[in-house]
Amino acid sequence: MNYKNFLNKQVVNKNNEVGVVLSFDSDHIVIKYSSDEKTYYPDTAFKSGFLTFKSKRLKQLIDQDLLNKEIANKKKEKELAEKHKKYNAKRTTVNKIYKRL
């Protein structure tokens, strides 16, 4: 995702404070409010609904990105479970052969 599209765009937090995005990457988002600057973890802030963009288009982009990340994580977990299952099967077979010898 191109995070530069989100720079200088307005966001609203749960406290109804309006801020402007100063920087945004996969790890952090920095918001400038009227009184101060705050840094958040974007996945947590947007998934929980603490932060939302005023623009519906940007909100949809964030929602789609979160969905894509969730799908990728589920795929990784599934692959890991398959590898673990294969490992256990091989280990069982090796142990049987070892005992037989």
Side-chain angles (χ1 to χ4, degrees), residues 34-50:
S34 59
S35 58
D36 61 347
E37 287 182 13
K38 293 192 179 180
T39 302
Y40 303 100
Y41 295 108
D43 292 346
T44 305
F46 290 113
K47 190 180 284 188
S48 68
F50 184 77

Side-chain angles (χ1 to χ4, degrees), residues 3-14 16-24 29-34 40 46 50-60 62:
Y3 295 106
K4 291 182 180 182
N5 295 335
F6 298 95
L7 297 179
N8 299 319
K9 304 297 182 190
Q10 291 186 332
V11 293
V12 178
N13 67 15
K14 282 273 188 184
N16 288 325
E17 295 176 308
V18 177
V20 176
V21 177
L22 293 181
S23 71
F24 190 13
I29 183 169
V30 179
I31 308 294
K32 170 79 171 145
Y33 295 106
S34 59
Y40 303 100
F46 290 113
F50 184 77
L51 289 178
T52 56
F53 279 97
K54 280 194 161 186
S55 167
K56 290 188 186 281
R57 183 183 65 80
L58 295 176
K59 183 180 180 330
Q60 288 174 346
I62 289 293

Side-chain angles (χ1 to χ4, degrees), residues 74-97:
K74 285 183 181 180
K75 184 178 178 182
K76 275 186 180 178
E77 287 176 8
K78 186 177 179 181
E79 289 173 356
L80 185 61
E82 287 293 321
K83 287 180 182 180
H84 188 69
K85 186 177 176 181
K86 288 179 182 178
Y87 165 76
N88 283 336
K90 286 181 182 179
R91 189 181 75 190
T92 303
T93 303
V94 168
N95 285 339
K96 285 180 184 178
I97 291 171

